[in-house]
Amino acid sequence: MTGTADAEVVCLGESMVTFLPSRPGPLADVPSFDRTIGGAESNVACALAAAGHRVRWVSRVGADGFGDHLVRSVAAYGVDTSGVRRDPHRPTGIYFRTATDRATDAHEVVYYRAGSAASAMSPDNMAPEDLRSGALLHLSGITAALSDDCLALMRALTARTPGRPLVSFDVNHRPNLWRDPSGVRVLLDLARGADLVFVGEDEAAAAWDLHGAEAIRAALPEPRTLVIKRGAAGATVYTREPETTALGTAGAPPATPVTPVTPASSAYGHDSAHGREAEYGHEAEYGREAEYGRDTVVSVPALRVDVVAPVGAGDAFAAGFLSATLRGLPAAARLRHGHLMAAAALTVPGDLGAPPARADADRLAGLDARAWGRLRLGPGWTEATEQEVRTP
């Protein structure tokens, strides 16, 4: 799709042509690969567009066949690609990966992205009218690691300047992309300039030596909304909502009081539950951070999912949360929609899973805590009818 007026969301970042193995095993032994696409920000754009939002993806690709395939594939999801520039001198990035979990020693990923068209993005060659054309601008830390020019662009976009859109930033710490250890500090600085931040509890520990949700919030008091992904334990959101209510003019939807509910079991893996986790809300204030206002803190347990491949789940979670934010849903519902979108990605081999129909997602997000805790989703669940997706 080209030329969507009044985009709700603009996503900036590199996307690549992805080659998935035709069978498990080391890359050296895989006889053939299936071609697809992948990239943190374009994943978010595609998931949001598939969920019914007006989305524009802004990037650079090579003037080559892979660039053609990438732009056509992203546009097929309903994403506006009019902000994608073609570079006649640099190639489109590609990568190969094994079918195994990233967390295992057997997992292999081979990138061919050095000197790619997207790595040449800079404040001088990316049109401000494209980047500021939506109510919300979604970025990730991956872009900052691609080159000095990309880092300069990210610094400019996260600077707190008048009239900028709401800025969403997914930390997406990728240690192997950074040329020196300063990247961990850069990511913290960029996050502090955003209005809404996504970060994994594990990556905050690895990158910043911050352990636990409260320590992460203390280090990141500036964003109005901070979402901390806690793996199998679920996710926690810290929110300080502004008084104005229109997302397009002042940021986020109005705050909604959170009512504590009874505990529900949670799991986010193949088979096992990970203890008892309550879905709850409370208010918190942190010493010197008190100047930023009082947080409402909400936690929601993850779902039990029969995982096919874990790649793309974080991007899908961000898309689900952003979709619910754009719709003005309360904090707990935003987290639940994030979990549901992540489950759609976890139950397919590639980066992108078809999201559930909005009515089905709303129905599942509206389950009571006990039914949510007992829900289990497997491959094909987003195509099931209401009767087929059982809600105990």
Side-chain angles (χ1 to χ4, degrees), residues 40-305:
E41 302 85 358
S42 64
N43 288 347
V44 172
C46 291
L48 281 170
H53 296 283
R54 301 184 307 279
V55 188
R56 177 173 289 128
W57 173 51
V58 178
S59 188
R60 292 175 69 87
V61 300
D64 51 34
F66 285 143
D68 294 341
H69 172 69
L70 195 55
V71 173
R72 284 199 304 262
S73 298
V74 173
Y77 282 86
V79 176
D80 177 352
T81 57
S82 62
V84 179
R85 301 292 179 255
R86 309 303 291 264
D87 190 322
H89 306 295
R90 298 176 179 86
T92 303
I94 64 173
Y95 78 97
F96 297 76
R97 67 172 174 85
T98 55
T100 50
D101 191 330
R102 270 183 180 160
T104 69
D105 293 337
H107 186 68
E108 297 175 74
V109 180
V110 180
Y111 290 103
Y112 297 91
R113 73 194 307 178
S116 69
S119 70
M121 292 187 296
S122 76
D124 297 327
N125 62 22
M126 302 306 289
E129 59 269 24
D130 288 335
L131 297 170
R132 290 177 173 259
S133 59
L136 185 149
L137 174 63
H138 181 71
L139 311 168
S140 99
I142 294 173
T143 303
L146 297 180
S147 68
D148 291 339
D149 282 342
C150 284
L151 176 57
L153 176 62
M154 291 291 290
R155 289 193 187 280
L157 294 175
T158 55
R160 294 188 179 276
T161 55
R164 77 172 193 180
L166 185 81
V167 174
S168 165
F169 179 73
D170 192 335
V171 172
N172 258 325
H173 179 42
R174 299 288 186 269
N176 293 336
L177 287 180
W178 289 94
R179 299 171 297 283
D180 60 69
S182 67
V184 296
R185 178 66 194 188
V186 167
L187 291 173
L188 192 61
D189 291 342
L190 295 175
R192 285 174 171 159
D195 301 295
L196 191 164
V197 172
F198 299 93
V199 63
E201 205 169 39
D202 54 346
E203 62 185 345
W208 306 324
D209 196 27
L210 296 173
H211 301 275
E214 293 193 7
I216 298 170
R217 183 50 159 170
L220 283 171
E222 296 89 350
R224 287 202 302 270
T225 303
L226 173 65
V227 181
I228 299 171
K229 296 172 289 184
R230 299 162 53 223
T236 297
V237 59
Y238 292 75
T239 56
R240 272 191 324 275
E241 304 289 9
E243 291 183 6
T244 43
T245 61
L247 178 62
T249 59
T256 301
V258 178
T259 303
V261 298
T262 56
S265 63
S266 102
Y268 214 172
H270 297 270
D271 293 305
S272 59
H274 296 261
R276 306 289 291 181
E277 184 74 32
E279 193 168 299
Y280 63 88
H282 67 273
E283 292 187 339
E285 203 168 345
Y286 298 95
R288 68 177 182 82
E289 289 84 8
E291 64 186 278
Y292 295 98
R294 186 178 294 273
D295 276 316
T296 296
V297 187
V298 178
S299 290
V300 170
L303 291 163
R304 292 185 295 174
V305 178

